[in-house]
Amino acid sequence: MKKEFSLSSGKAMINFSAKYCDTIEKILESDSFRRVSETYLESIARRNTKNYKQLVSLYKEATIRDLTDKFVEVMKLLTIFKSEEIMKLRGDYKPLLQDGDWFVSLIEDFYAYWRRMERYSVIQNRRNTEGLAQTSFIEANNKFANLILELYRKVEKNVLGIEPNVYRQVPAGVNAGVILQETLWPIPKGYEILSDIPFISAIVMDSPFISYPKKNTRSGYFKESFVNPIEDCYLNKDHFFCYPAKIGKLVAFLYFHRDLMAHGISLSNLFEMAREEEYMGRKPDIVYVFGGRNTDESMGNVFYDDHKNGIMTGFVPYSDEIDYFGYMKKMSLTLHNLLMIKRSNLPIHGAMVNINMKNGKSANVVILGDSGAGKSESLEALRSLSEDHISDMTIVFDDMGIFAHEDGTIMGYGTEIGAFVRLDDLDQGYAFKEIDRSIFMNPDKTNARLVMPVATYKEIIKGYNVDLFLYANNYKVLEEGEPGIVFFKDQEEAKEVFRSGKRMAKGTTQENGLVESYFANPFGPYQKQEETDKLLDFYFDKLFAYNIKVGEIYTQLGVPGKEKSGPRDAAMELFKEITSL
């Protein structure tokens, strides 16, 4: 990003390296302030609001540009003089200021317009230079926020003539800031378009971070392409960033368009950010371009197995339809899983926890199920119900992990440090307990989501032997006295239940009703069923040979009226099972 300021799709991006406004005067003199003022006036003109009608009645022949000039100028004056003084000095501003209450309502509306935007700061950390990036990144963001608050309060005080008696320290600066690093890596032929795109090396955000993406569900499957989509990809390098992620033990370069910045920032709560020394000078395992364009306009959401370069490549073209974090997260995990299948590891769409009881017993529990099956909800219910009996509960993976066969046992490994969960399915109040570190997406809508950190990277890649492997059945209604967990005696029966992946769809994708998905995992195994079938045969053989308990847990999450009580009852059954081990 070279410009000092950009405004696109309701997202404001301020380049602190190009220009940093450390005084109110510099803010008001900046092109950035003028751009925001002008777009605000354009927005109220389009909606023909009361404030706009009032402005037009005061300055009948004025254009938007004229109104912007007056607005910016009067804001500058109000940082020095009271409104009465300005009206005496400048009669042309008397129409604006003579009704103080109305003008304050205009300022409040403008301030709310600014705060409704997604606001980001960018600092470019160039090598062998001394600048803001290396000294006071966090302080710069804090100072900018305080300057905006000071400007807002000073203007209102000089209009009304009184000090406020309640001060609300709302986030008024930027929602998040990123440090960008020039990074060199051996870019193979076909990937040249990605050269010179800066890498994110640090992120600071104001929590809770709340975004309002255009979409609230994901649809369809990621399909295989037999040509490299990056080779014919075109993009504006000034509009893209790269988040270097560690997905499990793999290194992924995740490129995204600036209009999808909220999803890029949200990655920091989901995948561990790789440090420069972990990827510098090497090719990544995964390359994903989120929001690029392709000369083949029919190119959809695809992956490409680049055997020659040893890279699993993903591409999702720019459109409003993909403005949902699920496209960022699930394609990244699909690419990871495809590589795991090639390496004879079995991808698991589910949740795994290491549970240590106060009585000294412990268990490593894996619950498998597709989106909305109740796997995470049941484990979270277990945490809240059993605090008197559980000493430690470590999340190995919350959504996606792998099984590996090592030294005569089955080991589980995670991929993510965070969880991307439905707000509706969490225990009441839990989201608010985590509000200070969560990222919320469309919190006022159906399928509202949050992304929150749940584990450390060291824990997810440590490796835990599997004690219990359960399929999350969210549709069976339990009758009085029926057990909440049943275990399989027949290996083929167990494999068929897990392979069929039945669940009652919860509206997290385009599906509804009772549906099936291959091995409850549309993200890799579905695309490579023949290869995954061989892995299922191998791993279920080993699970039963090693006497690992394989069963079905009835979460009832898809049963109307059981959305809360179902996972809680399942958690109680699971607790009983663990204590009996």
Side-chain angles (χ1 to χ4, degrees), residues 213-236:
K214 295 183 178 70
K215 292 294 176 181
N216 229 30
T217 58
R218 181 190 54 78
S219 64
Y221 294 94
F222 301 123
K223 297 178 180 178
E224 184 167 11
S225 171
F226 296 97
V227 295
N228 189 345
I230 309 300
E231 199 160 351
D232 293 318
C233 173
Y234 61 97
L235 48 84
N236 185 333

Side-chain angles (χ1 to χ4, degrees), residues 225 294 339 350 375-376 435 466:
S225 171
N294 196 284
L339 280 172
K375 48 193 185 293
S376 301
I435 197 170
V466 178

Side-chain angles (χ1 to χ4, degrees), residues 20 123 131-141:
Y20 179 64
I123 292 176
L132 192 58
Q134 294 167 313
T135 55
S136 54
F137 177 47
I138 295 173
E139 289 82 357
N141 282 285

Side-chain angles (χ1 to χ4, degrees), residues 12 27 68 79 144 180 251 253 277 286 333 354 446 455 459 525 581:
I27 288 175
T68 303
T79 62
F144 179 72
L180 302 179
V251 172
F253 291 173
E277 58 269 21
I286 290 167
L333 290 171
N354 163 246
T446 302
E459 286 291 351
L581 288 175

Side-chain angles (χ1 to χ4, degrees), residues 176-192:
V178 297
I179 292 182
L180 302 179
Q181 183 75 55
E182 296 173 347
T183 298
L184 300 175
W185 62 281
I187 299 177
K189 185 178 179 182
Y191 295 81
E192 294 88 350

Side-chain angles (χ1 to χ4, degrees), residues 449-463:
R449 293 275 185 154
L450 62 83
V451 189
M452 59 184 180
V454 294
T456 65
Y457 183 70
K458 285 185 178 179
E459 286 291 351
I460 68 170
I461 63 166
K462 178 180 175 181

Side-chain angles (χ1 to χ4, degrees), residues 33 66 118-119 122 184 225 290 297 391 451 566:
F33 184 78
D66 295 334
E118 289 180 17
R119 310 176 307 279
V122 170
L184 300 175
S225 171
F290 183 48
E297 293 185 1
S391 57
V451 189

